[in-house]
Amino acid sequence: MIVQQVLNGLVIGGVYALTAMGAAMVYGILRILDLASAGAYAIGAYAGLFLYMATDNIVMSFLGAILLTGFFGTAVQKLLYIPMLNRPPIVPLIASIGLFIFIQDLLRLIAGPRIREFNVQLPFSAWKTEGLTVNPTWILIILLAAAFLAFLWYILTQTRIGLAWRATAQDLEIAKAMGVNINKVVALNFFLGYSFAAAAGIMVGMLYSSVFPTMGDVPAYKMLALIVLGGLGSPVGTVIAAVLIGLIETLVAGYIGFFLPRDAIAFVALIIILLVKPEGLISKKA
């Protein structure tokens, strides 16, 4: 049973990490809390569903959905956030909330308010032993989440664009003065962040075989908890926080029970951890 619960927690943690990673990177560079990336979570799920209905090919649907959502992210960066960089941080935050609500209502108008089924037949079956069941969708989610996060780690640590990202996150004005193309760095940041959120939305749609317009509500506020817990803009801290919260949710719900909804467990854990470590799991200095 413990192995089963840990596996469940890793699946949920991987989805959380992909969902929050985009917003964490945006905050790390621009110091903006981008709630609209939770809308990208829903956009990706719907785009994946419609492409799958048209092509009956999950690989093409997955790639097409994350690319479309990534380009949507760059459009948001250019049209919404760039004109607001000189405003107080509360202004882009309010704008991102407005965009998130707009995305939900637009999806409701285009796709309808009802839940749509997202049934995908994977080429491999479930693996079962005594006391342990491994769903094929879980395997796919863990592998894809690991691949996306490894790709991000490679970019951040082994490439020039990653060096530019880190320099911009430390001091945007100095990086610009030293010749870093800030516009390209930020645009790629939004592209990858929204693509990651879209991938998470598709995975959750496949996991629960359903998508709906308001499916980004829970990720929106849980994403904020992960960013704060991870250390405000730290990609590594965000991944650790996501896996930790996924495991805590699963183990507490499975073994202890809870009188509040399962999603509240994340915030109880957030409060307890921040009381002990107020700077988050990975501090800015670290």
Side-chain angles (χ1 to χ4, degrees):
M1 286 296 293
I2 187 66
V3 176
Q4 182 77 67
Q5 296 298 336
V6 168
L7 181 61
N8 295 345
L10 290 176
V11 171
I12 299 299
V15 172
Y16 287 169
L18 289 179
T19 305
M21 187 55 65
M25 292 192 300
V26 170
Y27 185 86
I29 289 182
L30 299 181
R31 298 298 184 266
I32 291 174
L33 286 173
D34 178 31
L35 284 182
S37 61
Y41 175 92
I43 290 175
Y46 272 100
L49 171 63
F50 291 145
L51 288 173
Y52 184 68
M53 292 170 60
T55 64
D56 199 32
N57 186 313
I58 188 56
V59 175
M60 291 179 59
S61 303
F62 189 87
L63 294 176
I66 63 174
L67 287 175
L68 288 173
T69 312
F71 285 121
F72 172 75
T74 59
V76 169
Q77 172 253 337
K78 291 181 181 298
L79 300 177
L80 183 65
Y81 291 125
I82 291 297
M84 295 184 180
L85 287 182
N86 296 325
R87 303 291 183 88
I90 190 66
V91 176
L93 173 60
I94 294 173
S96 72
I97 295 172
L99 179 59
F100 174 57
I101 296 172
F102 171 77
I103 290 172
Q104 288 186 325
D105 289 337
L106 183 63
L107 289 175
R108 188 179 293 109
L109 289 173
I110 294 175
R114 64 185 179 84
I115 297 175
R116 287 178 171 266
E117 293 186 358
F118 194 175
N119 294 319
V120 178
Q121 297 297 325
L122 297 176
F124 44 91
S125 59
W127 180 61
K128 296 182 179 181
T129 62
E130 186 177 353
L132 178 64
T133 300
V134 181
N135 189 300
T137 309
W138 297 355
I139 300 174
L140 182 63
I141 289 175
I142 291 176
L143 293 177
L144 286 176
F148 274 100
L149 295 175
F151 175 68
L152 178 62
W153 174 86
Y154 177 79
I155 290 179
L156 285 174
T157 61
Q158 305 296 322
T159 66
R160 291 176 62 86
I161 188 65
L163 180 62
W165 263 347
R166 286 180 279 132
T168 306
Q170 289 179 11
D171 194 312
L172 188 145
E173 294 299 328
I174 295 297
K176 187 176 181 180
M178 296 300 293
V180 175
N181 190 326
I182 300 299
N183 291 333
K184 287 185 178 180
V185 168
V186 175
L188 183 58
N189 184 292
F190 272 84
F191 180 87
L192 288 179
Y194 277 57
S195 296
F196 282 15
I202 299 169
M203 292 177 190
V204 170
M206 293 168 56
L207 180 63
Y208 297 111
S209 300
S210 63
V211 298
F212 50 94
T214 58
M215 64 185 294
D217 281 347
V218 173
Y221 63 76
K222 195 165 290 187
M223 179 174 66
L224 295 179
L226 294 174
I227 294 172
V228 173
L229 183 57
L232 288 175
S234 168
V236 175
T238 302
V239 173
I240 295 173
V243 174
L244 182 62
I245 291 298
L247 290 172
I248 290 174
E249 280 187 5
T250 304
L251 294 174
V252 169
Y255 285 98
I256 301 174
F258 208 66
F259 62 93
L260 293 175
R262 174 173 174 166
D263 292 323
I265 298 175
F267 291 92
V268 173
L270 172 69
I271 293 169
I272 294 173
I273 294 173
L274 291 181
L275 286 172
V276 178
K277 197 172 175 57
E279 71 274 17
L281 296 176
I282 304 294
S283 66
K284 186 175 181 181
K285 181 178 179 181

